[in-house]
Amino acid sequence: MHPVVKKLSTFASFSKSEEEQVEHLFSRTQVVADKEVIAWEDEPAEDIIFVMEGFVHRAKMLTNGRRQILAFMSPGDACDRGVSILDRRDHSLVALGEGIIARVSHQKLEALLTETNKLRDAFQWATLVEESIAREWITNIGQREAPERAAHLFCEMFYKLRAIDQVEGMSYRLPLTQRDLSDAIATSEVHANRVLQALRAQHLIAFGDKRLTILDLQGLERFAGFDPTYLHLSAKYRQT
Amino acid sequence: MHPVVKKLSTFASFSKSEEEQVEHLFSRTQVVADKEVIAWEDEPAEDIIFVMEGFVHRAKMLTNGRRQILAFMSPGDACDRGVSILDRRDHSLVALGEGIIARVSHQKLEALLTETNKLRDAFQWATLVEESIAREWITNIGQREAPERAAHLFCEMFYKLRAIDQVEGMSYRLPLTQRDLSDAIATSEVHANRVLQALRAQHLIAFGDKRLTILDLQGLERFAGFDPTYLHLSAKYRQT
DNA sequence: CGCGAAATTGACGACCATCAATTATGGTGG
DNA sequence: CCACCATAATTGATGGTCGTCAATTTCGCG
């Protein structure tokens, strides 16, 4: 199934013709290399970018050289719905590992959404979930300690990726360096390393070869204080 | 001018008739008391809530008793655009000081937006700016130290409130306790107190009687590493 | 005036950043 | 195929920022 359809199917189901409409929109794809910058901060925002394969992250650089990763986007995710209204983007988009993206003009997407309200709702749902995740990141970074933050992120990714069939058994591909992880959970690189060791020592996860394995999902969730409600998954994707 | 029109005017200008359409939508208002919970976490999301006067904040509670404030909303702000698509809300809305809110049904708002695209764009712009602010909060909490975080927040509020004429001279009403502030910038209450003292000692701000005064805007911005770009203000509201 | 909430202060220790150095890894070319 | 090099991961030591506990003072309001 087309990644965007797959993603939206976690919210609603679509007819064959609706699927084809969506697929047609994303005909123009592009391969991106690991660490390739897809869109720069301060650049005027033009097309909307969708992830077809692999991962993309959103990041901000500070004047003091620090970096904060704001989100991880996986297949089917839109990177910037409707950002064209704003003058310029306030963050960059960078590929994590090799991937495939599609660029869609704002006009074309709007045209499709005006046609079918079911699709408009589905995209709206995706946007709202993304906002909800951003709020959870604020909470995670603000109120939890580093090991809990990492554990929480791994739980989030697990549920998100499982809903789009990107989980095999209890493990999923996660092409992050420890530095990437540290910029996502707002710790130093050194501390991220120690956090990972602690989680491994507690037999909660394994992480290597760009792959994360959850050894004890219940334990990891309990440790992180994770509650998947904020992902607004439909019932069939919610169970542990 | 009506608060919602005032707020949207920072993005576009409206005809008399457009203004009246908006005003008509918000006829049903309601007074809320300090600390009054306007909408509970886990509650199904029904109407969209707009702030007419005063402040509202968005917050999440964790199982361990901690609280993270996710946003401060001021007159003209919508609290939850389109949240009715989601099953239930994932955060609460609480009044900060006495205020006035309006509840608008999703249907009525949608009907108006379908009529005039200019309004749809304006609301869309407001939503996008709110998302941008959420991303900046992630960055702020993740990458800056506590005094810088507080300073950054005060700068943000200054620009946001100035655009809707809620700033007098260099000061604005900010009905926060130090505990509220600490839950917004993710520090302990004790540390928030010390942070405020430090900012005062550097003659950057004054804070008392629920009012924040910026004594040295340039200095505060420099200290915080503040860059107002992410607020996406039109040129006339951007200058220091 | 009196009460509870809010602000303030001090002491102590935990978590985590930073610096610095070492080991492992993975991709490249001879 | 292996030597080589840059990148990534790991380890140890040290100190700063900040959380927690506990007590006191101030403030706001009836």
Side-chain angles (χ1 to χ4, degrees), chain A residues 11 58 60 62 66-68 70 81-82 85-88 90-91 124-125 128 131-132 135-136 138-139 142-143 186 232, chain B residues 58 60 62 66-68 70 81-82 85-88 90-91 124-125 128 131-132 135-136 138-139 142-143 186 232:
Chain A
F11 170 68
R58 196 199 298 281
K60 262 191 191 203
L62 306 212
R66 288 165 172 278
R67 176 180 69 149
Q68 175 67 49
L70 300 162
R81 271 294 311 292
I85 288 184
L86 299 178
D87 38 357
R88 34 164 73 194
D90 48 48
H91 57 264
Q124 176 75 350
W125 165 81
L128 291 170
E131 289 173 32
S132 178
R135 289 192 291 266
E136 188 64 35
I138 295 177
T139 309
Q143 301 300 327
H232 299 281
Chain B
R58 199 198 298 279
K60 262 193 189 201
L62 305 213
R66 288 164 171 278
R67 177 179 69 150
Q68 176 66 48
L70 300 162
R81 270 296 310 293
I85 289 183
L86 298 179
D87 38 355
R88 34 165 71 197
D90 49 48
H91 56 265
Q124 176 76 348
W125 164 82
L128 291 171
E131 288 173 32
S132 178
R135 290 191 290 267
E136 187 64 35
I138 295 177
T139 309
Q143 300 301 326
H232 298 281

Short mmCIF file of all heavy atoms in Angstrom, two decimals, chain A residues 11 58 60 62 66-68 70 81-82 85-88 90-91 124-125 128 131-132 135-136 138-139 142-143 186 232, chain B residues 58 60 62 66-68 70 81-82 85-88 90-91 124-125 128 131-132 135-136 138-139 142-143 186 232:
data_model
loop_
_atom_site.label_atom_id
_atom_site.label_comp_id
_atom_site.label_asym_id
_atom_site.label_seq_id
_atom_site.Cartn_x
_atom_site.Cartn_y
_atom_site.Cartn_z
N PHE A 11 -6.52 6.23 10.51
CA PHE A 11 -7.62 7.09 10.99
C PHE A 11 -8.95 6.76 10.31
O PHE A 11 -10.00 6.75 10.95
CB PHE A 11 -7.26 8.56 10.74
CG PHE A 11 -8.40 9.50 10.96
CD1 PHE A 11 -8.90 9.70 12.24
CD2 PHE A 11 -8.99 10.18 9.91
CE1 PHE A 11 -9.96 10.56 12.48
CE2 PHE A 11 -10.05 11.05 10.13
CZ PHE A 11 -10.54 11.24 11.42
N ARG A 58 13.15 16.99 11.83
CA ARG A 58 12.99 18.42 11.83
C ARG A 58 13.91 18.94 12.93
O ARG A 58 13.93 18.37 14.03
CB ARG A 58 11.54 18.68 12.24
CG ARG A 58 10.97 20.02 11.97
CD ARG A 58 9.76 20.23 12.82
NE ARG A 58 8.63 19.33 12.60
CZ ARG A 58 7.76 19.46 11.61
NH1 ARG A 58 7.92 20.40 10.71
NH2 ARG A 58 6.75 18.63 11.51
N LYS A 60 16.17 22.51 14.74
CA LYS A 60 16.49 23.92 14.86
C LYS A 60 17.92 24.07 15.34
O LYS A 60 18.35 23.34 16.22
CB LYS A 60 15.58 24.58 15.90
CG LYS A 60 14.41 25.30 15.33
CD LYS A 60 13.72 26.13 16.38
CE LYS A 60 12.42 26.60 15.80
NZ LYS A 60 11.90 27.78 16.44
N LEU A 62 20.62 26.66 17.23
CA LEU A 62 20.68 27.90 18.00
C LEU A 62 21.97 28.63 17.65
O LEU A 62 22.90 28.05 17.08
CB LEU A 62 20.68 27.62 19.50
CG LEU A 62 19.57 26.77 20.11
CD1 LEU A 62 19.29 27.25 21.53
CD2 LEU A 62 18.32 26.80 19.31
N ARG A 66 24.12 24.88 19.45
CA ARG A 66 23.33 23.73 19.86
C ARG A 66 22.25 23.42 18.84
O ARG A 66 21.88 24.27 18.05
CB ARG A 66 22.66 24.01 21.22
CG ARG A 66 23.65 23.99 22.35
CD ARG A 66 23.05 24.62 23.59
NE ARG A 66 23.89 24.46 24.74
CZ ARG A 66 23.90 23.35 25.48
NH1 ARG A 66 23.13 22.34 25.18
NH2 ARG A 66 24.70 23.27 26.52
N ARG A 67 21.78 22.19 18.90
CA ARG A 67 20.74 21.75 17.98
C ARG A 67 19.64 21.08 18.76
O ARG A 67 19.90 20.33 19.69
CB ARG A 67 21.33 20.77 16.96
CG ARG A 67 20.31 20.16 16.01
CD ARG A 67 20.95 19.20 15.02
NE ARG A 67 21.44 17.99 15.64
CZ ARG A 67 21.48 16.80 15.01
NH1 ARG A 67 21.10 16.69 13.74
NH2 ARG A 67 21.94 15.74 15.63
N GLN A 68 18.41 21.35 18.41
CA GLN A 68 17.30 20.60 19.00
C GLN A 68 16.55 19.90 17.88
O GLN A 68 16.11 20.56 16.93
CB GLN A 68 16.35 21.53 19.76
CG GLN A 68 15.10 20.84 20.30
CD GLN A 68 15.40 19.82 21.39
OE1 GLN A 68 16.12 20.13 22.34
NE2 GLN A 68 14.87 18.61 21.27
N LEU A 70 13.23 18.33 16.67
CA LEU A 70 11.86 18.65 17.05
C LEU A 70 10.88 17.53 16.75
O LEU A 70 9.81 17.46 17.35
CB LEU A 70 11.41 19.91 16.30
CG LEU A 70 12.25 21.15 16.58
CD1 LEU A 70 12.02 22.20 15.52
CD2 LEU A 70 11.94 21.70 17.95
N ARG A 81 2.51 20.66 6.52
CA ARG A 81 1.21 21.01 5.98
C ARG A 81 0.98 22.52 6.04
O ARG A 81 1.13 23.12 7.12
CB ARG A 81 0.09 20.34 6.81
CG ARG A 81 -0.31 18.97 6.36
CD ARG A 81 -0.96 18.98 4.99
NE ARG A 81 -2.02 19.97 4.86
CZ ARG A 81 -3.18 19.93 5.48
NH1 ARG A 81 -3.47 18.92 6.26
NH2 ARG A 81 -4.07 20.88 5.30
N GLY A 82 0.66 23.12 4.92
CA GLY A 82 0.19 24.50 4.91
C GLY A 82 1.21 25.53 5.33
O GLY A 82 0.87 26.67 5.61
N ILE A 85 1.83 29.37 3.83
CA ILE A 85 1.23 30.64 4.24
C ILE A 85 2.26 31.50 4.96
O ILE A 85 2.25 32.73 4.85
CB ILE A 85 0.01 30.37 5.16
CG1 ILE A 85 -1.15 29.82 4.34
CG2 ILE A 85 -0.41 31.64 5.87
CD1 ILE A 85 -2.41 29.63 5.14
N LEU A 86 3.15 30.87 5.68
CA LEU A 86 4.17 31.62 6.41
C LEU A 86 5.25 32.09 5.46
O LEU A 86 5.50 31.48 4.42
CB LEU A 86 4.76 30.74 7.51
CG LEU A 86 3.76 30.28 8.57
CD1 LEU A 86 4.44 29.38 9.59
CD2 LEU A 86 3.10 31.45 9.25
N ASP A 87 5.91 33.16 5.84
CA ASP A 87 6.93 33.75 4.98
C ASP A 87 8.10 32.80 4.73
O ASP A 87 8.51 32.58 3.62
CB ASP A 87 7.41 35.07 5.60
CG ASP A 87 7.49 34.98 7.13
OD1 ASP A 87 7.11 33.94 7.68
OD2 ASP A 87 7.93 35.95 7.75
N ARG A 88 8.62 32.24 5.80
CA ARG A 88 9.79 31.39 5.66
C ARG A 88 9.75 30.33 6.75
O ARG A 88 9.14 30.51 7.78
CB ARG A 88 11.05 32.23 5.81
CG ARG A 88 10.85 33.38 6.82
CD ARG A 88 12.11 33.98 7.27
NE ARG A 88 12.74 34.79 6.25
CZ ARG A 88 14.01 35.19 6.36
NH1 ARG A 88 14.71 34.84 7.41
NH2 ARG A 88 14.54 35.94 5.43
N ASP A 90 10.93 27.92 9.83
CA ASP A 90 11.68 28.23 11.04
C ASP A 90 12.47 27.02 11.53
O ASP A 90 12.88 26.97 12.68
CB ASP A 90 10.73 28.74 12.14
CG ASP A 90 9.51 27.85 12.29
OD1 ASP A 90 9.69 26.63 12.36
OD2 ASP A 90 8.38 28.38 12.33
N HIS A 91 12.69 26.05 10.68
CA HIS A 91 13.44 24.85 11.05
C HIS A 91 13.87 24.15 9.77
O HIS A 91 13.34 24.44 8.70
CB HIS A 91 12.55 23.93 11.88
CG HIS A 91 11.29 23.55 11.17
ND1 HIS A 91 10.10 24.20 11.37
CD2 HIS A 91 11.04 22.62 10.23
CE1 HIS A 91 9.18 23.69 10.58
NE2 HIS A 91 9.72 22.73 9.87
N GLN A 124 -6.24 16.39 8.29
CA GLN A 124 -6.41 17.22 9.48
C GLN A 124 -6.09 16.42 10.73
O GLN A 124 -5.41 16.89 11.65
CB GLN A 124 -7.85 17.75 9.54
CG GLN A 124 -8.18 18.54 10.79
CD GLN A 124 -7.57 19.93 10.76
OE1 GLN A 124 -6.74 20.25 9.91
NE2 GLN A 124 -7.98 20.74 11.71
N TRP A 125 -6.57 15.18 10.74
CA TRP A 125 -6.26 14.29 11.87
C TRP A 125 -4.74 14.12 12.02
O TRP A 125 -4.20 14.24 13.11
CB TRP A 125 -6.93 12.92 11.65
CG TRP A 125 -6.41 11.85 12.55
CD1 TRP A 125 -6.77 11.61 13.84
CD2 TRP A 125 -5.42 10.87 12.22
NE1 TRP A 125 -6.06 10.56 14.34
CE2 TRP A 125 -5.23 10.08 13.37
CE3 TRP A 125 -4.68 10.59 11.07
CZ2 TRP A 125 -4.32 9.03 13.39
CZ3 TRP A 125 -3.79 9.55 11.10
CH2 TRP A 125 -3.61 8.78 12.25
N LEU A 128 -3.26 17.18 13.53
CA LEU A 128 -3.57 17.32 14.95
C LEU A 128 -2.74 16.36 15.80
O LEU A 128 -2.28 16.71 16.89
CB LEU A 128 -5.06 17.08 15.19
CG LEU A 128 -5.97 18.17 14.64
CD1 LEU A 128 -7.42 17.74 14.71
CD2 LEU A 128 -5.75 19.48 15.39
N GLU A 131 0.67 17.78 16.20
CA GLU A 131 0.69 18.83 17.22
C GLU A 131 0.67 18.22 18.61
O GLU A 131 1.37 18.68 19.52
CB GLU A 131 -0.53 19.75 17.07
CG GLU A 131 -0.47 20.63 15.85
CD GLU A 131 -1.77 21.39 15.66
OE1 GLU A 131 -2.44 21.72 16.66
OE2 GLU A 131 -2.13 21.66 14.50
N SER A 132 -0.12 17.19 18.76
CA SER A 132 -0.21 16.52 20.05
C SER A 132 1.14 15.93 20.45
O SER A 132 1.55 16.00 21.60
CB SER A 132 -1.28 15.43 19.99
OG SER A 132 -1.36 14.74 21.21
N ARG A 135 3.40 18.61 21.71
CA ARG A 135 3.11 18.95 23.11
C ARG A 135 3.67 17.91 24.05
O ARG A 135 4.18 18.23 25.12
CB ARG A 135 1.59 19.07 23.30
CG ARG A 135 0.97 20.29 22.65
CD ARG A 135 -0.45 20.50 23.12
NE ARG A 135 -1.37 19.47 22.64
CZ ARG A 135 -2.10 19.57 21.54
NH1 ARG A 135 -2.02 20.66 20.79
NH2 ARG A 135 -2.92 18.61 21.18
N GLU A 136 3.59 16.66 23.65
CA GLU A 136 4.14 15.60 24.50
C GLU A 136 5.66 15.72 24.59
O GLU A 136 6.24 15.43 25.63
CB GLU A 136 3.74 14.22 23.97
CG GLU A 136 4.10 13.07 24.89
CD GLU A 136 3.39 13.10 26.23
OE1 GLU A 136 2.22 13.53 26.29
OE2 GLU A 136 4.00 12.71 27.24
N ILE A 138 7.33 18.51 24.59
CA ILE A 138 7.57 19.57 25.58
C ILE A 138 7.51 18.97 26.98
O ILE A 138 8.40 19.17 27.81
CB ILE A 138 6.51 20.70 25.46
CG1 ILE A 138 6.64 21.42 24.12
CG2 ILE A 138 6.65 21.70 26.61
CD1 ILE A 138 5.59 22.50 23.90
N THR A 139 6.46 18.19 27.21
CA THR A 139 6.28 17.58 28.53
C THR A 139 7.41 16.61 28.84
O THR A 139 7.95 16.59 29.95
CB THR A 139 4.94 16.82 28.55
OG1 THR A 139 3.92 17.69 28.09
CG2 THR A 139 4.62 16.34 29.95
N GLY A 142 10.58 18.53 29.41
CA GLY A 142 10.50 19.39 30.58
C GLY A 142 10.39 18.65 31.89
O GLY A 142 10.97 19.08 32.89
N GLN A 143 9.68 17.55 31.92
CA GLN A 143 9.30 16.97 33.21
C GLN A 143 9.91 15.61 33.51
O GLN A 143 9.73 15.10 34.60
CB GLN A 143 7.78 16.87 33.32
CG GLN A 143 7.07 18.21 33.20
CD GLN A 143 7.49 19.20 34.28
OE1 GLN A 143 7.80 18.81 35.41
NE2 GLN A 143 7.53 20.47 33.94
N ALA A 186 17.42 16.11 24.38
CA ALA A 186 18.02 17.26 25.08
C ALA A 186 18.94 16.85 26.21
O ALA A 186 18.75 17.22 27.37
CB ALA A 186 16.92 18.21 25.58
N HIS A 232 -3.46 9.27 19.76
CA HIS A 232 -4.81 9.21 19.19
C HIS A 232 -4.93 8.10 18.16
O HIS A 232 -5.46 8.31 17.06
CB HIS A 232 -5.19 10.57 18.58
CG HIS A 232 -5.20 11.67 19.59
ND1 HIS A 232 -6.24 11.88 20.47
CD2 HIS A 232 -4.29 12.61 19.90
CE1 HIS A 232 -5.97 12.90 21.25
NE2 HIS A 232 -4.79 13.38 20.93
N ARG B 58 -2.62 26.11 28.72
CA ARG B 58 -2.79 24.72 28.35
C ARG B 58 -1.79 23.94 29.20
O ARG B 58 -0.62 24.34 29.29
CB ARG B 58 -2.39 24.60 26.89
CG ARG B 58 -2.85 23.42 26.14
CD ARG B 58 -2.05 23.23 24.88
NE ARG B 58 -2.12 24.30 23.89
CZ ARG B 58 -3.11 24.43 23.02
NH1 ARG B 58 -4.10 23.61 23.04
NH2 ARG B 58 -3.08 25.41 22.14
N LYS B 60 -0.55 19.88 30.96
CA LYS B 60 -0.63 18.43 31.08
C LYS B 60 -0.20 18.02 32.47
O LYS B 60 0.78 18.55 33.00
CB LYS B 60 0.34 17.77 30.09
CG LYS B 60 -0.30 17.33 28.83
CD LYS B 60 0.62 16.44 28.04
CE LYS B 60 0.02 16.20 26.68
NZ LYS B 60 0.51 15.02 26.02
N LEU B 62 1.28 14.86 34.78
CA LEU B 62 1.88 13.53 34.68
C LEU B 62 1.40 12.68 35.86
O LEU B 62 0.90 13.21 36.85
CB LEU B 62 3.41 13.61 34.73
CG LEU B 62 4.15 14.50 33.74
CD1 LEU B 62 5.48 13.89 33.40
CD2 LEU B 62 3.37 14.74 32.49
N ARG B 66 3.67 15.82 38.50
CA ARG B 66 4.24 17.00 37.87
C ARG B 66 3.29 17.60 36.86
O ARG B 66 2.39 16.93 36.36
CB ARG B 66 5.55 16.64 37.16
CG ARG B 66 6.66 16.36 38.13
CD ARG B 66 7.80 15.64 37.45
NE ARG B 66 8.96 15.53 38.30
CZ ARG B 66 9.84 16.52 38.45
NH1 ARG B 66 9.70 17.65 37.80
NH2 ARG B 66 10.87 16.35 39.26
N ARG B 67 3.52 18.85 36.55
CA ARG B 67 2.68 19.55 35.58
C ARG B 67 3.57 20.26 34.58
O ARG B 67 4.60 20.82 34.94
CB ARG B 67 1.82 20.58 36.31
CG ARG B 67 0.95 21.44 35.38
CD ARG B 67 0.09 22.42 36.15
NE ARG B 67 0.87 23.48 36.78
CZ ARG B 67 0.42 24.72 37.00
NH1 ARG B 67 -0.81 25.05 36.66
NH2 ARG B 67 1.17 25.61 37.58
N GLN B 68 3.20 20.21 33.32
CA GLN B 68 3.92 21.01 32.31
C GLN B 68 2.92 21.96 31.67
O GLN B 68 1.89 21.52 31.15
CB GLN B 68 4.55 20.13 31.24
CG GLN B 68 5.21 20.92 30.12
CD GLN B 68 6.44 21.72 30.55
OE1 GLN B 68 7.31 21.20 31.24
NE2 GLN B 68 6.49 23.00 30.17
N LEU B 70 1.99 24.12 28.61
CA LEU B 70 2.35 23.93 27.20
C LEU B 70 2.22 25.21 26.39
O LEU B 70 2.84 25.36 25.34
CB LEU B 70 1.45 22.87 26.59
CG LEU B 70 1.55 21.49 27.26
CD1 LEU B 70 0.36 20.64 26.89
CD2 LEU B 70 2.84 20.82 26.87
N ARG B 81 -8.21 24.65 17.67
CA ARG B 81 -8.74 24.56 16.33
C ARG B 81 -8.87 23.10 15.90
O ARG B 81 -7.89 22.35 15.96
CB ARG B 81 -7.80 25.26 15.33
CG ARG B 81 -8.06 26.72 15.09
CD ARG B 81 -9.39 26.99 14.45
NE ARG B 81 -9.63 26.17 13.26
CZ ARG B 81 -8.95 26.27 12.13
NH1 ARG B 81 -8.01 27.16 11.98
NH2 ARG B 81 -9.25 25.49 11.11
N GLY B 82 -10.08 22.72 15.52
CA GLY B 82 -10.27 21.44 14.86
C GLY B 82 -9.99 20.22 15.71
O GLY B 82 -9.86 19.12 15.21
N ILE B 85 -12.02 16.56 15.80
CA ILE B 85 -11.76 15.35 15.03
C ILE B 85 -11.19 14.26 15.93
O ILE B 85 -11.47 13.09 15.76
CB ILE B 85 -10.79 15.65 13.86
CG1 ILE B 85 -11.51 16.47 12.80
CG2 ILE B 85 -10.26 14.36 13.26
CD1 ILE B 85 -10.67 16.75 11.59
N LEU B 86 -10.42 14.67 16.91
CA LEU B 86 -9.81 13.70 17.81
C LEU B 86 -10.84 13.21 18.83
O LEU B 86 -11.81 13.91 19.14
CB LEU B 86 -8.61 14.32 18.53
CG LEU B 86 -7.48 14.77 17.60
CD1 LEU B 86 -6.36 15.39 18.41
CD2 LEU B 86 -6.95 13.61 16.79
N ASP B 87 -10.62 12.01 19.32
CA ASP B 87 -11.56 11.41 20.25
C ASP B 87 -11.70 12.21 21.54
O ASP B 87 -12.79 12.52 21.98
CB ASP B 87 -11.13 9.97 20.55
CG ASP B 87 -9.61 9.84 20.66
OD1 ASP B 87 -8.92 10.84 20.41
OD2 ASP B 87 -9.13 8.76 21.00
N ARG B 88 -10.58 12.55 22.13
CA ARG B 88 -10.61 13.23 23.40
C ARG B 88 -9.39 14.14 23.51
O ARG B 88 -8.37 13.91 22.88
CB ARG B 88 -10.61 12.23 24.55
CG ARG B 88 -9.77 10.99 24.18
CD ARG B 88 -9.43 10.14 25.32
NE ARG B 88 -10.56 9.41 25.87
CZ ARG B 88 -10.51 8.86 27.09
NH1 ARG B 88 -9.42 8.98 27.81
NH2 ARG B 88 -11.53 8.18 27.55
N ASP B 90 -6.04 15.94 25.01
CA ASP B 90 -4.90 15.37 25.71
C ASP B 90 -4.26 16.38 26.66
O ASP B 90 -3.12 16.23 27.09
CB ASP B 90 -3.87 14.85 24.70
CG ASP B 90 -3.56 15.87 23.63
OD1 ASP B 90 -3.30 17.03 23.97
OD2 ASP B 90 -3.58 15.50 22.44
N HIS B 91 -4.98 17.43 27.01
CA HIS B 91 -4.46 18.45 27.92
C HIS B 91 -5.64 19.26 28.44
O HIS B 91 -6.72 19.21 27.86
CB HIS B 91 -3.50 19.37 27.17
CG HIS B 91 -4.12 20.01 25.97
ND1 HIS B 91 -4.00 19.48 24.70
CD2 HIS B 91 -4.93 21.08 25.85
CE1 HIS B 91 -4.69 20.23 23.86
NE2 HIS B 91 -5.28 21.19 24.53
N GLN B 124 -5.70 29.79 9.59
CA GLN B 124 -4.63 28.85 9.31
C GLN B 124 -3.28 29.43 9.74
O GLN B 124 -2.45 28.75 10.35
CB GLN B 124 -4.62 28.51 7.82
CG GLN B 124 -3.49 27.61 7.37
CD GLN B 124 -3.73 26.16 7.77
OE1 GLN B 124 -4.63 25.87 8.57
NE2 GLN B 124 -2.91 25.28 7.25
N TRP B 125 -3.10 30.71 9.44
CA TRP B 125 -1.87 31.37 9.85
C TRP B 125 -1.74 31.32 11.37
O TRP B 125 -0.67 30.98 11.91
CB TRP B 125 -1.89 32.83 9.36
CG TRP B 125 -0.87 33.70 10.02
CD1 TRP B 125 0.45 33.81 9.70
CD2 TRP B 125 -1.08 34.57 11.14
NE1 TRP B 125 1.07 34.68 10.54
CE2 TRP B 125 0.15 35.16 11.44
CE3 TRP B 125 -2.20 34.90 11.91
CZ2 TRP B 125 0.30 36.08 12.48
CZ3 TRP B 125 -2.06 35.80 12.94
CH2 TRP B 125 -0.82 36.39 13.22
N LEU B 128 -0.68 27.90 12.44
CA LEU B 128 0.72 27.61 12.11
C LEU B 128 1.67 28.33 13.05
O LEU B 128 2.70 27.79 13.44
CB LEU B 128 1.00 28.02 10.66
CG LEU B 128 0.32 27.16 9.61
CD1 LEU B 128 0.49 27.77 8.23
CD2 LEU B 128 0.89 25.75 9.63
N GLU B 131 1.82 26.42 16.23
CA GLU B 131 2.69 25.25 16.11
C GLU B 131 4.16 25.67 16.18
O GLU B 131 4.97 25.00 16.81
CB GLU B 131 2.44 24.54 14.78
CG GLU B 131 1.12 23.81 14.73
CD GLU B 131 0.84 23.27 13.33
OE1 GLU B 131 1.78 22.91 12.61
OE2 GLU B 131 -0.35 23.23 12.95
N SER B 132 4.46 26.77 15.52
CA SER B 132 5.83 27.26 15.53
C SER B 132 6.27 27.60 16.95
O SER B 132 7.40 27.33 17.36
CB SER B 132 5.93 28.49 14.63
OG SER B 132 7.24 29.00 14.65
N ARG B 135 7.12 24.49 18.82
CA ARG B 135 8.46 24.01 18.48
C ARG B 135 9.53 24.83 19.18
O ARG B 135 10.55 24.30 19.64
CB ARG B 135 8.68 24.07 16.96
CG ARG B 135 7.86 23.06 16.19
CD ARG B 135 8.32 22.98 14.74
NE ARG B 135 8.00 24.16 13.97
CZ ARG B 135 6.90 24.32 13.24
NH1 ARG B 135 6.00 23.37 13.20
NH2 ARG B 135 6.70 25.41 12.55
N GLU B 136 9.30 26.12 19.29
CA GLU B 136 10.28 26.96 19.97
C GLU B 136 10.34 26.63 21.46
O GLU B 136 11.40 26.69 22.07
CB GLU B 136 9.95 28.44 19.76
CG GLU B 136 11.01 29.40 20.29
CD GLU B 136 12.35 29.28 19.58
OE1 GLU B 136 12.36 29.02 18.37
OE2 GLU B 136 13.39 29.45 20.26
N ILE B 138 9.92 23.66 22.73
CA ILE B 138 10.75 22.45 22.82
C ILE B 138 12.21 22.87 22.84
O ILE B 138 12.99 22.44 23.69
CB ILE B 138 10.49 21.51 21.62
CG1 ILE B 138 9.07 20.97 21.65
CG2 ILE B 138 11.49 20.35 21.63
CD1 ILE B 138 8.71 20.08 20.46
N THR B 139 12.57 23.74 21.91
CA THR B 139 13.95 24.19 21.81
C THR B 139 14.38 24.94 23.07
O THR B 139 15.46 24.73 23.61
CB THR B 139 14.11 25.11 20.60
OG1 THR B 139 13.56 24.45 19.46
CG2 THR B 139 15.57 25.43 20.34
N GLY B 142 14.62 22.55 25.97
CA GLY B 142 15.66 21.55 25.75
C GLY B 142 17.07 22.11 25.75
O GLY B 142 17.99 21.47 26.27
N GLN B 143 17.25 23.28 25.18
CA GLN B 143 18.62 23.73 24.90
C GLN B 143 19.09 24.94 25.68
O GLN B 143 20.26 25.31 25.58
CB GLN B 143 18.77 24.01 23.40
CG GLN B 143 18.50 22.81 22.52
CD GLN B 143 19.41 21.64 22.81
OE1 GLN B 143 20.57 21.82 23.16
NE2 GLN B 143 18.89 20.44 22.68
N ALA B 186 9.84 24.66 33.04
CA ALA B 186 10.36 23.36 33.47
C ALA B 186 11.52 23.47 34.44
O ALA B 186 12.62 22.97 34.20
CB ALA B 186 10.76 22.51 32.25
N HIS B 232 6.59 34.85 13.30
CA HIS B 232 6.05 35.16 11.98
C HIS B 232 5.19 36.42 12.00
O HIS B 232 4.07 36.44 11.47
CB HIS B 232 5.26 33.97 11.42
CG HIS B 232 6.11 32.75 11.25
ND1 HIS B 232 6.96 32.57 10.19
CD2 HIS B 232 6.28 31.66 12.03
CE1 HIS B 232 7.59 31.41 10.31
NE2 HIS B 232 7.20 30.85 11.42
#
